[in-house]
Amino acid sequence: MAEISVPSNSLFVGGRWYRPEAAADFEVRNPATEEVIGIVPEAPAEFASEAIAAAQAGFELWSATSVETRAKTLERLAEAMEVHRSQLGRLTSAEIGTPLKDALGGQVDLPVRVLRSYAEIARRYPWDERDEAGSSVVREGAGVVVAITPWNFPVHQIIAKLAPALAAGCSVVLKPAELTPLNALFLAALCESIGLPDGVFNVVTGQGSVVGEALVQSDGYEIVSFTGSLKVGRHVGEVAGSKIARAALELGGKSPAIVFVDADLTVAVQTTVRNCFVNAGQKCNAPTRLLVPRNRLDEAVAIAKEVAESYVVGDPNDPSTTMGPLVSAAQREVVTGFLSRAQSDGARIVTGGRAAQQDRGYFLTPAIVTDVSRSSEIAREEVFGPVLVVMAHDGEDDAIALANDSEYGLSAEVWSGDPGRAAHLARRIKAGQVRVNGVRTPALPVSPFGGYKRSGNGRELGEFGLDEFVEIKAVLGDPTVSEA
Ligand code: NAD
């Protein structure tokens, strides 16, 4: 199968590949080798209005298509991704440094399933139904969507917005993360190859603080769907709010994994460490606080240390590698900064936290941290790297209180010998997703994902994810409605 070729140093707006006037050049680097793997335009702020105008034209076309046309388009995009699976997997692995097999699973196979799930959901969604008053309730695409995504699971995060937006009949202007724009442009090329009309999907590359800010400040969009940090999300939400545009915000986390006294400690700790260190810990819903019964703390720390030290940190293309580099030198500095401040605060770094022994690349050995106070920075703030904090709890109520003592509420895990008890306790946790005994993401990715508290507003995936992109209209006195 021929590889897709993506025009170099071009963004994709209104169905055209080009480098906007006054754009600077931005180099994309492979974090494992530090080599430049692509150059993209760094769009100036003034470019935002051009992109929004293109998306408005796209919306006129796309919102007039049938649900079946949109569902089939999602299926065709899924097929195109499957055909080019290997190329897209290698590209994302090169951009983020995640091991190739993880990139294939998380950045190709999962988004393909999300696309297919939305084709099915679109076909059965209540687009036009009657209420008890005899009025028609019509759901339709809300308009132009500004989508802003981070770098950690880049293709999944784009498709989690693009699939429901397209299903609803919306058009999209995507501003992908600075560090990982190439996979977004690759998706644009796939959309072009399946004949998606011009202006329906637009990709604007550049700095968040420049063209990202200008997009959010623009008039002419109805929804901003943002995934990223709490700091930027708060600002994006404020700007959108001032325009009475909707903001769906998927933000950070400091997720707990609670091990209750009747759980299998070894399985619980081993699984939590592995979940925490997926994608070198650069994962919004990583269980980064492991809460264990006080009298088992030393045992839990020893198990966690053993698992952390079994990681093979290195070349993402080597099949024996289990952890690649961090995404950038700056991200590695953020993580080592957290670790050194934790040490000054009295915490004990049991293992890891060292730049790994490669000549090049932003590698860091995974760290286990304990002896932390509940109020310390490392116990409360999102680190976004391979760092697991192990803490003691004093029974059920204390564990739940400790789990909920966070400004975040994205996700949580509960471990018990009695899954029914665990599921019951899950209902006391303030988080958008709670996993019982390490259950993995279902193969059918329709369970809602999103945050309580400062982890965000809105939900992605499944029918809830589609609701985010839909406007609701009541037609009163609709003559097609029977009088009965
Ligand atoms: P970030 O907030 O720095 O950047 C996210 C995106 O926002 C990037 O595309 C960036 O260019 C853009 N941006 C930056 N400033 C902007 C501005 N003023 N206006 C508009 N756009 C702007 O986050 P990051 O470092 O790329 O990603 C890591 C963060 O994302 C972590 O906090 C993580 O928890 C969070 N995250 C959340 C989820 C979730 O689903 N809840 C998923 C993945 C990552």
Side-chain angles (χ1 to χ4, degrees), residues 167-339:
C170 295
S171 60
V172 174
V173 179
L174 169 71
K175 209 303 283 173
E178 292 83 333
L179 294 172
T180 57
L182 301 178
N183 64 84
L185 294 165
F186 189 94
L187 288 177
L190 290 183
C191 286
E192 186 182 37
S193 78
I194 63 161
L196 190 72
D198 294 351
V200 177
F201 181 43
N202 307 277
V203 179
V204 175
T205 52
Q207 296 293 329
S209 57
V210 180
V211 77
E213 175 77 31
L215 283 167
V216 178
Q217 297 279 0
S218 303
D219 293 321
Y221 71 89
E222 296 301 330
I223 295 175
V224 56
S225 179
F226 173 87
T227 301
S229 62
L230 171 57
K231 179 167 173 260
V232 178
R234 193 188 297 274
H235 170 67
V236 166
E238 277 169 12
V239 176
S242 73
K243 295 178 177 295
I244 323 295
R246 278 194 246 160
L249 305 172
E250 297 288 341
L251 309 177
K254 186 77 182 177
S255 299
I258 308 176
V259 183
F260 289 107
V261 69
D262 61 348
D264 181 331
L265 186 80
T266 305
V267 173
V269 174
Q270 287 176 339
T271 312
T272 302
V273 176
R274 293 200 187 99
N275 285 347
C276 181
F277 293 161
V278 168
N279 205 32
Q282 302 163 123
K283 182 173 164 211
C284 53
N285 60 344
T288 50
R289 293 187 288 150
L290 174 60
L291 315 179
V292 298
R294 189 168 297 282
N295 63 354
R296 311 286 303 272
L297 179 63
D298 291 347
E299 210 183 324
V301 168
I303 299 166
K305 176 174 186 281
E306 195 183 331
V307 181
E309 289 177 352
S310 73
Y311 270 79
V312 180
V313 180
D315 177 4
N317 289 310
D318 183 336
S320 64
T321 293
T322 50
M323 187 180 290
L326 297 192
V327 74
S328 65
Q331 190 62 22
R332 185 167 65 176
E333 270 171 39
V334 167
V335 177
T336 52
F338 269 105
L339 288 171

Side-chain angles (χ1 to χ4, degrees), residues 36 47 63-64 105 136 162 178 219 265 296 323 339-340 381 401 408 431-432 441 456 460:
V36 174
F47 186 71
S63 57
S136 293
L162 182 64
E178 292 83 333
D219 293 321
L265 186 80
R296 311 286 303 272
M323 187 180 290
L339 288 171
S340 63
E381 299 286 325
Y408 294 114
T441 300
E460 291 194 326

Side-chain angles (χ1 to χ4, degrees), residues 85 98-106 316 318-322:
R85 178 177 188 268
T98 203
L100 179 58
K101 58 182 178 310
D102 296 347
L104 288 166
D318 183 336
S320 64
T321 293
T322 50

